[in-house]
C-alpha cells in the first residue's frame, strides 16, 4: 500500500509536468496571436523548455542528489509552480521564454530522482512497471490535462491557463509531503566516477537512442494542431479531441511499454521504433479525415510513449553505478530530442514545405533510431 501511495504521488507530479510541457503545443496559435509572433517563432517556446530540461537535469540532480528525496522533489515542484505563475504574468514573448525556462529546470531532476525512488519501493523485476506507473501521470495529462488546458486557453486565455497549471504544482507538493517517507535517504555523490560512467559507449548509445526517439515524436507533436487542421481539415475546436486521442495512445503505450520491457527491453524498443516510423509515414497519406486521422494518431501515440519506459530502464541498466544522474540525464536527452524535433519541424516549414513533410521527416528520424538500436545489438553479439 505504501509503495502504491508513493508511486501515485510521483504520478501526480508527472501529470503536472506533462500538462505544462505539452499544453503549449495546442496553445501555439493563441500564444502566437496574443504576442504578435508567427507560429514557427512561437514554436521556439518548445525548444526553450526542452533545452532548459537538458541543462537543468544534470545540474539540479547533482545539486539535490544527497538530499532526502522528499526534500528534493518538493523543492523541484516549487520551481515548477513559480515558473508557471511567471508564464501567466508574461507581457511579451521574451518574458514568456524566460518563464518557461525557469519552469523547465525542475523537469529532468524530478523524473530522474523520482525514477530512482520508484525502483526502490518495488520488488526486483518490476522496475520497468514502477517507472511506467510514475510516467502514467505524464500520459494521463495528455488525455485530460492537455486537451482541457487547450480548450480553456481558447475560452479564457492562455495566460490564465498557465496560472491554472501552477495549482497542480501545489497539489503535487502536498501529495509528496503526505506520502514520501522521511527516512528515505539521498544518494552519495561521487562526481568524477559518475561523470565517467556517463561517457561510456553503452550509456552514450542509450542516450542517443532516447534523443532520436524524442526527436521523431516532437517533430510531429510540436505542430500537431496546424498539421491536423491542414491534412484532415478539422476545425480548431476539434483539436482538443485529437489531443485526447493522442493522450489515449500515450497512456496505452506507456503501460504496454512497461510490461513488455519487463520481458525484453531490446525487443520492445525494436518493435516500437518500427511502429513509430511507419505511423509517421502513413499519417499524411491516410489521416485525411477526423476518423482515420484519429486512429493513426492513437497508434502513433502508442509508439511514441511506449519507448519511454524501456529507454529509461536501458539507461539505468548500463549506468548502474550512476543511476540517478543517468536517469535524469536521460530525461534531459528526451527533451534535447524535443528541441531537435521542434527545430526540424520549424526548418521544414521555414523552407516552404508543407505540414505533411514535417511528419515524413519525423519518420526518417525514427528509422535512424531503429538503425542505431539494431547496429548496437549486432555489435554486442560479436
Amino acid at each position: 500500500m505504501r509503495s502504491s501511495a508513493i508511486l501515485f504521488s510521483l504520478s501526480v507530479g508527472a501529470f503536472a509536468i506533462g500538462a505544462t510541457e505539452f499544453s503549449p503545443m495546442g496553445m501555439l496559435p493563441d500564444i502566437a496571436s496574443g504576442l504578435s509572433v508567427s507560429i514557427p517563432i512561437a514554436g521556439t517556446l518548445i525548444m526553450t523548455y526542452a533545452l532548459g530540461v537538458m541543462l537543468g537535469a544534470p545540474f539540479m540532480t547533482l545539486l539535490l542528489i544527497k538530499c532526502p528525496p522528499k526534500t528534493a522533489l518538493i523543492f523541484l515542484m516549487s520551481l515548477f509552480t513559480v515558473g508557471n505563475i511567471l508564464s501567466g504574468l508574461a507581457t511579451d514573448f521574451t518574458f514568456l521564454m524566460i518563464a518557461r525556462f525557469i519552469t523547465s529546470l525542475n523537469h529532468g531532476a524530478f523524473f530522474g530522482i523520482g525514477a530512482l525512488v520508484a525502483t526502490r519501493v518495488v520488488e526486483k523485476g518490476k522496475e520497468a512497471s514502477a517507472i511506467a506507473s510514475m510516467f502514467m501521470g505524464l500520459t494521463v495529462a495528455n488525455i485530460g490535462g492537455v486537451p482541457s488546458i487547450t480548450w480553456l486557453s481558447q475560452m479564457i486565455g492562455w495566460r490564465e491557463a498557465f496560472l491554472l497549471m501552477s495549482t497542480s504544482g501545489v497539489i503535487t507538493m502536498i501529495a509528496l509531503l503526505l506520502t514520501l517517507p522521511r527516512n528515505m535517504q539521498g544518494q552519495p555523490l561521487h562526481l568524477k566516477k559518475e561523470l565517467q560512467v556517463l561517457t561510456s559507449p553503452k550509456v552514450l548509445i542509450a542516450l542517443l537512442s532516447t534523443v532520436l526517439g524524442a526527436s521523431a515524436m516532437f517533430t510531429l507533436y510540436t505542430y500537431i494542431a496546424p498539421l491536423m487542421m491542414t491534412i484532415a481539415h478539422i476545425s480548431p475546436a476539434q483539436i482538443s479531441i485529437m489531443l485526447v486521442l493522442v493522450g489515449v495512445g500515450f497512456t496505452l503505450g506507456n503501460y504496454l511499454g512497461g510490461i513488455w520491457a519487463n520481458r525484453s527491453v531490446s525487443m520492445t524498443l525494436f518493435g516500437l521504433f518500427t511502429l513509430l516510423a511507419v505511423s509517421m509515414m502513413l499519417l499524411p497519406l491516410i489521416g485525411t479525415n477526423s476518423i482515420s486521422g484519429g486512429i493513426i494518431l492513437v497508434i502513433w501515440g502508442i509508439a511514441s510513449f511506449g519507448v519511454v519506459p524501456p529507454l529509461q530502464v536501458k539507461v539505468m541498466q548500463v549506468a548502474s553505478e550512476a543511476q540517478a544522474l543517468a536517469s535524469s540525464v536521460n530525461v534531459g536527452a528526451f527533451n534535447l530530442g524535443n528541441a531537435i524535433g521542434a527545430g526540424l519541424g520549424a526548418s521544414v516549414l521555414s523552407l516552404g514545405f508543407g505540414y505533411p513533410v514535417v511528419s515524413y521527416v519525423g519518420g526518417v528520424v525514427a528509422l535512424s533510431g531503429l538503425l542505431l538500436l539494431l547496429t548496437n545489438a549486432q555489435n554486442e553479439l560479436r
Side-chain angles (χ1 to χ4, degrees):
M1 178 64 72
R2 187 59 182 270
S3 63
S4 297
I6 292 172
L7 292 175
F8 177 76
S9 67
L10 293 172
S11 186
V12 171
F15 176 90
I17 292 173
T20 201
E21 178 182 16
F22 297 130
S23 289
M25 280 73 162
M27 295 159 57
L28 275 186
D30 294 323
I31 293 174
S33 175
L35 296 177
S36 301
V37 297
S38 67
I39 287 181
I41 291 296
T44 60
L45 285 173
I46 314 301
M47 297 173 61
T48 299
Y49 185 96
L51 290 172
V53 176
M54 182 186 68
L55 296 173
F59 176 77
M60 299 302 294
T61 301
L62 291 173
L63 181 66
L64 298 170
I65 190 61
K66 295 173 67 174
C67 299
K70 188 170 191 172
T71 301
L73 292 172
I74 290 175
F75 170 75
L76 290 166
M77 288 312 297
S78 70
L79 275 180
F80 167 94
T81 304
V82 170
N84 273 298
I85 291 173
L86 292 175
S87 296
L89 299 176
T91 55
D92 57 52
F93 189 72
T94 300
F95 191 108
L96 181 57
M97 288 186 70
I98 294 172
R100 289 291 290 170
F101 183 82
I102 292 172
T103 307
S104 70
L105 293 176
N106 82 93
H107 189 128
F110 184 91
F111 281 110
I113 296 174
L116 189 59
V117 170
T119 59
R120 288 170 64 181
V121 300
V122 297
E123 59 187 82
K124 188 174 180 60
K126 294 188 176 180
E127 293 87 353
S129 294
I131 291 173
S133 294
M134 179 182 69
F135 277 95
M136 186 62 71
L138 194 63
T139 62
V140 170
N142 285 279
I143 295 178
V146 173
S148 298
I149 291 168
T150 299
W151 178 79
L152 281 172
S153 70
Q154 295 170 348
M155 296 298 104
I156 63 176
W158 60 267
R159 291 183 177 86
E160 289 76 9
F162 276 118
L163 292 174
L164 182 63
M165 281 188 277
S166 69
T167 63
S168 63
V170 176
I171 293 171
T172 301
M173 286 189 279
I174 294 172
L176 294 170
L177 185 65
L178 294 176
T179 61
L180 263 63
R182 293 182 178 180
N183 60 354
M184 184 177 286
Q185 299 300 310
Q187 302 292 304
L189 176 62
H190 305 290
L191 183 58
K192 184 177 179 179
K193 183 179 180 180
E194 295 198 11
L195 291 177
Q196 286 178 337
V197 170
L198 292 185
T199 61
S200 72
K202 290 184 178 180
V203 174
L204 291 176
I205 289 172
L207 291 173
L208 181 56
S209 300
T210 296
V211 171
L212 292 173
S215 296
M217 171 186 172
F218 281 97
T219 300
L220 169 59
Y221 197 30
T222 303
Y223 302 97
I224 193 168
L227 184 144
M228 293 308 296
M229 291 168 65
T230 299
I231 66 173
H233 309 292
I234 62 176
S235 67
Q238 291 178 297
I239 290 299
S240 293
I241 298 174
M242 293 295 109
L243 292 175
V244 169
L245 293 174
V246 169
V248 169
F250 284 172
T251 303
L252 288 172
N254 180 71
Y255 175 73
L256 294 172
I259 292 177
W260 293 336
N262 282 334
R263 301 171 184 171
S264 174
V265 171
S266 295
M267 293 305 296
T268 300
L269 289 173
F270 295 156
L272 289 173
F273 264 85
T274 300
L275 184 61
L276 180 59
V278 171
S279 63
M280 295 186 78
M281 293 294 187
L282 290 179
L283 178 60
L285 299 176
I286 65 176
T288 53
N289 59 66
S290 58
I291 295 176
S292 61
I295 291 172
I296 198 70
L297 282 179
V298 171
I299 296 171
W300 171 79
I302 290 172
S304 294
F305 246 88
V307 302
V308 173
L311 284 171
Q312 194 78 5
V313 171
K314 180 71 172 178
V315 169
M316 294 175 73
Q317 286 177 342
V318 297
S320 58
E321 296 180 340
Q323 286 191 327
L325 182 59
S327 181
S328 64
V329 169
N330 190 55
V331 176
F334 182 86
N335 282 269
L336 173 59
N338 181 332
I340 292 172
L344 280 174
S347 298
V348 168
L349 296 174
S350 297
L351 290 171
F353 295 101
Y355 285 104
V357 179
V358 171
S359 190
Y360 294 140
V361 169
V364 171
V365 176
L367 286 174
S368 67
L370 175 62
L371 180 61
L372 174 67
L373 289 168
L374 291 172
T375 303
N376 183 56
Q378 290 178 343
N379 290 335
E380 288 180 347
L381 291 174
R382 293 174 182 173

